C-alpha cells in the first residue's frame, strides 16, 4: 500500500506527477489558504507532508496527526517547524538547502542595487509623469562599487553575496556571524570578521541573511539603526521579524538611514502600513528564490527527501536526523 502524502500548497504539476509515482497524494492545486485547523484536519490520516515556509507544524498539529512521519519543507528556512516538538513526536523534518543559494544571492544583490541606486523610487516618479527635466541631484544615490558591504549571517547565501560584492564590485566585505568562518572560506569571500556593532557603524550597505529564531528576533531595531550611517542601505532577505519593521519605517522616514530593500516582513503577507508610505524602500513579496529552475529544484529536493525517507530511511537533507534511529 502506498504512503499518503499531503501537499499543502499548489506546486508544479510535474512535481505532483513525480510524487504520484510513489505515493497516494492529496494536493492543493487550487492553492486555497488553509487555516491551521484545516491543515491539521487534512494531515490527520497522512504519513508525510510536502510543506512550504508558511505551513506551521507544531505540537498542536502533531498531536492530532499520529501517523505523520516526515515533513519536507520546500525552503531552506524552517522557522515554520517546531523542531523540538517534531523530534519529540518522532517526526522527521527536512529542508531544501544549497539549490537556492546562488539565485537568492543574486536577488540580494538586485535588491541592494535597486535600493542604493533608487531604481524603483525613480521609476514610480517617471510613471507618474513627473519627469520634466534633468537635474544634477535627481535620484542621486550611493555607490555599490568600492563601498563597504556588511553581511550579518554568513551561511551559504551570505557567502554568495560576499563573493559577488568582493569579486564583482570591488567591495570591501565585512561580516558578523555566530561563528567565524575558517581562514580558507574567509579568503574565498575576501571577507573580514567584525563585531555586529562595528559592522553596523562602518558598512555602507548592510545585508541580513541570518536564520530567524527567537534569539534573532529584532536583530535590527531602533538602537541598531541608530548606529548605521545616514547614507547606509539595509537589505533584508532573511525573514520577517529579524528587523523591527516599525522602527525601520521611522528611520527611513526621518532619513536616519538612506534606503532599504525588503523581501520579507513581520506578519507577511501583511505589511506594516508605514512601510508603504515611505518612498526610500524597495518592497518585494518574498521572491528571493523565485526563478523557475530554482523553485523546481527546491520542490524536487523536497520530493526526493520524501522518497528517500520512505524507501530506505535515507532523506537527503534531514534537520533532526536522530529521529531516523528511533
Ligand atoms: C521560500 C525561503 O520561497 O527557502 C526559504 O527559506 O524563504 C523561500 O525561498 C519560502 O519559504 C517558501 O517555501
Amino acid at each position: 500500500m502506498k504512503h499518503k502524502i499531503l501537499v499543502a500548497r499548489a506546486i508544479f504539476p510535474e512535481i505532483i506527477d513525480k510524487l504520484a509515482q510513489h505515493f497516494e497524494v492529496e494536493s492543493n492545486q487550487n492553492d486555497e489558504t488553509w487555516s491551521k485547523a484545516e491543515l491539521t484536519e487534512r494531515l490527520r490520516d497522512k504519513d508525510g507532508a510536502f510543506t512550504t515556509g508558511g505551513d506551521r507544524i507544531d505540537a498542536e498539529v502533531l498531536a492530532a496527526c499520529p501517523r505523520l512521519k516526515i515533513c519536507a519543507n520546500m525552503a531552506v528556512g524552517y522557522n515554520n517547524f517546531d523542531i523540538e516538538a517534531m523530534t519529540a513526536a518522532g517526526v522527521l523534518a527536512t529542508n531544501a538547502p544549497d539549490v537556492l543559494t546562488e539565485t537568492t544571492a543574486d536577488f540580494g544583490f538586485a535588491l541592494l542595487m535597486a535600493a542604493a541606486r533608487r531604481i524603483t523610487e525613480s521609476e514610480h516618479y517617471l510613471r507618474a509623469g513627473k519627469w520634466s527635466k534633468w537635474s544634477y541631484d535627481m535620484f542621486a544615490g550611493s555607490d555599490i562599487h568600492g563601498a563597504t558591504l556588511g553581511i550579518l549571517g554568513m551561511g551559504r547565501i551570505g557567502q554568495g553575496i560576499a563573493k559577488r560584492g568582493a569579486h564583482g564590485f570591488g567591495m570591501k566585505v565585512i561580516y558578523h556571524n555566530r561563528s567565524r568562518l575558517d581562514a580558507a572560506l574567509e579568503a574565498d569571500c575576501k571577507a573580514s570578521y567584525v563585531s555586529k556593532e562595528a559592522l553596523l557603524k562602518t558598512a555602507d550597505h548592510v545585508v541580513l541573511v541570518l536564520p530567524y529564531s527567537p534569539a534573532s528576533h529584532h536583530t535590527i531595531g531602533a538602537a541598531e539603526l541608530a548606529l548605521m550611517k545616514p547614507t547606509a542601505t539595509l537589505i533584508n532577505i532573511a525573514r520577517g521579524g529579524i528587523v523591527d519593521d516599525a522602527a525601520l519605517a521611522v528611520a527611513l522616514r526621518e532619513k536616519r538611514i538612506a534606503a532599504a530593500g525588503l523581501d520579507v516582513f513581520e506578519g507577511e503577507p501583511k505589511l506594516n502600513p508605514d512601510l508603504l508610505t515611505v518612498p526610500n524602500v524597495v518592497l518585494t513579496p518574498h521572491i528571493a528564490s523565485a526563478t523557475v529552475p530554482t523553485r523546481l529544484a527546491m520542490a524536487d529536493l523536497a520530493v526526493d527527501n520524501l522518497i528517500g525517507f520512505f524507501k530506505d530511511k535515507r532523506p537527503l537533507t534531514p534537520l533532526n536526523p536522530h529521529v531516523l534511529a528511533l
Side-chain angles (χ1 to χ4, degrees):
M1 213 183 63
K2 284 180 171 178
H3 290 107
K4 291 185 177 179
I5 301 291
L6 180 72
V7 184
R9 296 291 311 279
I11 196 64
F12 301 97
E14 55 266 53
I15 292 294
I16 300 285
D17 292 346
K18 181 169 169 180
L19 277 168
Q21 287 169 24
H22 300 266
F23 306 109
E24 188 182 321
V25 181
E26 178 183 339
S27 62
N28 179 11
Q29 289 302 80
N30 291 334
D31 217 18
E32 286 157 15
T33 314
W34 291 337
S35 64
K36 191 173 167 191
E38 196 162 3
L39 174 68
T40 308
E41 200 43 51
R42 289 176 189 273
L43 260 185
R44 209 177 278 279
D45 65 337
K46 303 298 185 297
D47 304 292
F50 177 114
T51 55
T52 61
D55 307 311
R56 178 87 186 136
I57 305 292
D58 60 15
E60 210 183 338
V61 175
L62 295 164
C65 306
R67 277 181 66 152
L68 194 63
K69 287 281 162 285
I70 173 174
C71 293
N73 224 24
M74 182 195 153
V76 63
Y78 50 90
N79 55 306
N80 57 312
F81 287 167
D82 181 338
I83 294 285
E84 220 174 288
M86 290 175 78
T87 304
V91 174
L92 186 78
T94 66
N95 68 339
D98 302 321
V99 290
L100 78 181
T101 300
E102 300 303 331
T103 294
T104 305
D106 282 351
F107 190 84
F109 235 88
L111 209 46
L112 168 58
M113 297 192 78
R117 295 303 309 273
R118 307 179 65 180
I119 289 175
T120 53
E121 192 186 352
S122 62
E123 190 195 354
H124 290 150
Y125 174 89
L126 182 152
R127 283 181 187 271
K130 294 180 183 166
W131 185 28
S132 60
K133 60 181 189 315
W134 179 92
S135 47
Y136 77 98
D137 61 349
M138 184 169 68
F139 294 107
S142 50
D143 274 322
I144 303 288
H145 74 273
T148 298
L149 174 63
I151 302 174
L152 264 182
M154 198 61 154
R156 291 160 286 217
I157 298 169
Q159 291 167 37
I161 291 169
K163 285 179 197 157
R164 282 160 178 75
H167 302 299
F169 289 85
M171 300 177 90
K172 179 182 172 198
V173 180
I174 54 178
Y175 77 98
H176 183 74
N177 198 42
R178 270 174 306 187
S179 47
R180 191 171 169 171
L181 299 187
D182 66 37
L185 271 181
E186 277 191 359
D188 235 21
C189 298
K190 285 192 170 178
S192 316
Y193 185 80
V194 295
S195 69
K196 178 181 161 191
E197 190 178 329
L199 184 144
L200 292 170
K201 281 183 174 165
T202 48
D204 297 305
H205 307 292
V206 175
V207 182
L208 306 173
V209 211
L210 61 166
Y212 182 82
S213 70
S216 63
H217 185 73
H218 286 187
T219 294
I220 302 293
E224 289 75 20
L225 290 162
L227 294 176
M228 291 173 65
K229 295 180 180 179
T231 49
T233 312
L234 179 71
I235 305 300
N236 186 8
I237 55 164
R239 273 292 179 272
I242 300 246
V243 174
D244 177 344
D245 287 347
L248 176 60
V250 173
L252 287 166
R253 189 182 311 283
E254 295 178 357
K255 304 263 170 63
R256 285 197 256 123
I257 67 167
L262 308 174
D263 187 49
V264 287
F265 305 88
E266 289 188 283
E268 65 183 55
K270 291 207 176 88
L271 261 70
N272 182 313
D274 292 347
L275 286 172
L276 295 170
T277 64
V278 282
N280 45 344
V281 59
V282 180
L283 306 167
T284 53
H286 204 147
I287 57 167
S289 66
T291 66
V292 174
T294 292
R295 285 282 166 85
L296 255 173
M298 292 163 72
D300 211 45
L301 179 50
V303 171
D304 286 343
N305 271 315
L306 290 165
I307 295 170
F309 173 77
F310 283 111
K311 198 169 150 221
D312 49 15
K313 281 205 163 193
R314 288 203 185 165
L316 299 174
T317 50
L319 292 165
N320 53 351
H322 33 296
V323 162
L324 294 167
L326 297 178

